[in-house]
Amino acid sequence: MGGGIAQVAAVAGFDVLLYDLSPEALERARGRMADFLARAVEKGRMTAAEREAALGRVAVTDRLTGLAACDLVIEAAPEDLELKRGLFRELDAICRPAAILATNTSSLSVSEIGALTGRPERLVGLHFFNPAPLMPLVEVIAGSQTAQATADAAFDLVVRLGKTPVRAKDTPGFIVNRVNRPFPGEALRIVGENVAGVAQVDRIMRLAAGFRMGPFELMDLVGLDVNFAVNQSVFRQFFEEPRFRPHPIQARMVQAGLLGQKTGQGFYRYEGGRIMGGPVGPSPESGPQVESRVWIDGDRWREAARTAGCRLAAEPAGADLVLVEAVLRPTTEAAAAFDRPERVVGSGALPGARLVTVAPGMRTAPEAWQEAFRFFRSLGLDVEVTHDGTGLVAERILCCVINEAAWALTEGVASREHIDTAMKLGTGYPLGPLEWADRIGVARVLGVLEALQRDLGEDRYRPAPLLRRLAAAGLSFGALMHG
Ligand SMILES: NC(=O)c1ccc[n+]([C@@H]2O[C@H](COP(=O)([O-])OP(=O)(O)OC[C@H]3O[C@@H](n4cnc5c(N)ncnc54)[C@H](O)[C@@H]3O)[C@@H](O)[C@H]2O)c1
């Protein structure tokens, strides 16, 4: 990370001194910078002269005292508090009193690191994302004693580096590593409860929710060990808050050495960096005409069904297939309200999604859910058939992410805009979680969380009070005046 940050600063026109204990690490960093910028020249992103000038602005040293003249020191040493303690104690003695000290820590407390120095008011967190030259986001973290002027100077510096800064309070995981926890965490629970399989969850999150990668593809890319370490750290720092509890599936895989792409196997098997036999894409062609008389609970699919030439029944009693929504309650529960529950099939789809999740209930006949599959295919939609479960897949994962964002907003970790920006730029979310909440509807998000809490009896689903207040007031996150 240190080499990447140094490159960003040099390209932005700053004189940079790169320090590492290991001369080999310095050499490697220089080589990587030279290669990266050579490719930038090839692609026409910078001129050869600009590359030479940027490289010329980077000097290296393996002596910490060399940093005495710096105005700002960004520490990116290994994530070990004892190691950082020694480093900051020395830096404090070496650097000018006016110099700002910054840490790139992803999981340690900025306030605690500040307290290791004699200048906690001039210590700030600058959390870059990997790889620093490509990732646009930097979280600027004010510790308990960080002066406003220090945080402001760090914020301005990030802008001068050509990056997008967001302000975050010093709380475990800051914004991104906290709000993103349910993305893999809830996916693991869905698989653990046998609601859906790994490839199904990934496909649903890509096609129904628009993510570039599903949670399991992402865990395999990042490394299961890395993801597990972040989960454990955030869980411990929140004093075992159930929302952050790691999942045993992940622990077992780490113990088995199935760490993802880097070991050739994680949730998927890899050969030459590619998933064997996948990932699974959209279904190829539209389905055949559905002959059954269909009764649809609610208006969602009626117009599309008429246009596609389906025969719609006026009453459930006269229908061969009864389609109910199965997000706020499982299909089996919804089906209990109908005579002949074997004809009842549940489904769920996010607003505007091109993939529908179909979930047979315990008494649904196979012909009924197969007909439901054909029905949605005849509307030109992709379909994934899962087991019955509250919230199904996409809404369950998204509503838990939204809930975490709402808790973070409630606790003043960051503003509404900065939470959404951080999630879009730091993890590539197609929409910010609070924007998602407004698209889905705050009342519905609240409904999904309450249903999960009721169905699974777990505290991790308790909704942030802010969601309840907004729903009661009929407001959206977009309407919040002081977000
Ligand atoms: N890798 C990421 O994805 C990522 C993302 C954001 C933040 N971070 C944070 O950045 C920091 C560094 O992470 P990394 O992945 O680059 O680690 P790394 O292990 O790849 O690099 C650390 C470097 O520090 C050097 N080093 C070790 N001990 C030292 C010491 N006492 N003094 C000076 N240098 C020393 C090592 O030689 C090595 O070059 C950590 O705090 C980490 O949490 C990492």
Side-chain angles (χ1 to χ4, degrees):
M1 285 295 286
I5 297 168
Q7 178 184 319
V8 168
V11 169
F14 290 90
D15 290 325
V16 182
L17 190 53
L18 183 61
Y19 160 77
D20 201 293
L21 272 187
S22 140
E24 294 80 42
L26 289 170
E27 212 37 57
R28 261 200 318 276
R30 258 191 175 295
R32 270 204 299 264
M33 245 180 258
D35 291 348
F36 187 101
L37 296 183
R39 282 198 300 278
V41 173
E42 275 167 28
K43 289 178 187 159
R45 300 217 179 98
M46 64 173 14
T47 64
E50 284 166 341
R51 171 180 181 267
E52 289 314 309
L55 291 174
R57 282 191 284 271
V58 182
V60 297
T61 178
D62 57 3
R63 285 179 35 252
L64 199 60
T65 47
L67 305 185
C70 292
D71 297 310
L72 166 74
V73 176
I74 303 175
E75 167 275 320
E79 194 75 329
D80 172 341
L81 187 66
E82 280 317 302
L83 188 148
K84 291 194 198 268
R85 186 193 301 276
L87 206 49
F88 274 108
R89 197 167 284 152
E90 281 189 68
L91 279 172
D92 201 21
I94 292 167
C95 295
R96 296 184 296 106
I100 291 180
L101 304 181
T103 174
N104 183 43
T105 183
S106 3
S107 64
L108 301 172
S109 151
V110 171
S111 305
E112 190 170 7
I113 293 174
L116 305 176
T117 73
R119 58 178 94 182
E121 71 290 348
R122 296 192 73 71
L123 185 127
V124 65
L126 277 179
H127 185 216
F128 289 78
F129 288 74
N130 196 16
L134 298 179
M135 296 294 283
L137 183 74
V138 181
E139 292 178 327
V140 179
I141 301 123
S144 313
Q145 299 188 71
T146 306
Q148 186 66 44
T150 304
D152 290 346
F155 191 91
D156 292 345
L157 173 96
V158 172
V159 174
R160 288 174 65 195
L161 291 179
K163 300 284 179 193
T164 305
V166 290
R167 289 182 195 268
K169 214 157 81 177
D170 182 26
T171 45
F174 314 132
I175 305 172
V176 173
N177 278 339
R178 169 188 178 157
V179 174
N180 193 44
R181 295 274 54 80
F183 188 67
E186 219 40 46
L188 282 160
R189 275 172 177 75
I190 287 167
V191 168
E193 291 164 20
N194 270 319
V195 172
V198 163
Q200 283 190 304
V201 173
D202 280 347
R203 186 167 180 265
I204 291 169
M205 294 315 285
R206 277 188 279 108
L207 298 185
F211 285 80
R212 271 201 303 268
M213 291 180 116
F216 295 101
E217 290 158 340
L218 196 63
M219 275 186 274
D220 271 5
L221 177 71
V222 170
L224 267 79
D225 51 340
V226 174
N227 190 269
F228 188 47
V230 177
N231 279 348
Q232 286 177 296
S233 164
V234 172
F235 180 58
R236 270 197 307 270
Q237 291 187 68
F238 273 110
F239 301 107
E240 309 200 346
E241 161 60 49
R243 295 200 308 278
F244 303 109
R245 180 170 295 133
H247 198 279
I249 291 179
Q250 203 180 19
R252 284 285 178 277
M253 291 184 63
V254 172
Q255 287 156 358
L258 304 173
L259 306 183
Q261 289 197 16
K262 62 185 168 189
T263 59
Q265 184 157 2
F267 292 103
Y268 300 94
R269 262 192 344 103
Y270 296 85
E271 247 167 53
R274 287 172 175 275
I275 295 179
M276 296 291 293
V280 190
S283 322
E285 79 304 319
S286 259
Q289 190 73 24
V290 172
E291 297 302 333
S292 305
R293 286 167 63 84
V294 186
W295 184 78
I296 306 173
D297 190 13
D299 295 331
R300 175 88 187 255
W301 308 112
R302 286 206 183 158
E303 200 43 52
R306 269 193 210 103
T307 310
C310 291
R311 296 194 303 154
L312 293 183
E315 298 291 332
D320 315 303
L321 174 64
V322 171
L323 287 175
V324 296
E325 220 230 20
V327 173
L328 297 176
R329 60 192 169 164
T331 305
T332 307
E333 271 180 48
F338 297 88
D339 58 339
R340 294 200 289 137
E342 64 277 9
R343 301 166 306 154
V344 180
V345 182
S347 72
L350 287 165
R354 60 189 179 93
L355 182 142
V356 179
T357 303
V358 165
M362 291 179 86
R363 298 180 64 181
T364 305
E367 307 79 59
W369 68 255
Q370 285 157 9
E371 188 69 342
F373 180 94
R374 284 191 290 273
F375 168 80
F376 286 114
R377 291 294 295 128
S378 74
L379 304 192
L381 293 161
D382 265 296
V383 184
E384 200 58 68
V385 182
T386 68
H387 289 121
D388 203 7
T390 301
L392 296 175
V393 175
E395 273 177 300
R396 176 167 170 181
I397 294 176
L398 275 178
C399 289
C400 288
V401 169
I402 291 166
N403 196 30
E404 202 47 56
W407 278 110
L409 183 59
T410 303
E411 293 165 15
V413 174
S415 70
R416 176 172 60 88
E417 290 83 358
H418 282 191
I419 290 174
D420 276 348
T421 300
M423 298 314 291
K424 284 188 283 191
L425 300 186
T427 61
Y429 275 34
L431 278 182
L434 301 171
E435 290 169 324
W436 263 116
D438 288 351
R439 183 179 283 194
I440 295 171
V442 172
R444 185 170 171 89
V445 172
L446 179 66
V448 172
L449 292 165
E450 285 174 339
L452 285 164
Q453 195 181 19
R454 209 169 41 239
D455 193 23
L456 296 163
E458 281 196 65
D459 221 19
R460 65 187 268 115
Y461 300 107
R462 68 191 190 286
L466 179 58
L467 286 169
R468 217 181 280 288
R469 310 254 190 292
L470 286 175
L475 290 173
S476 62
F477 282 99
L480 277 184
M481 301 294 281
H482 304 291

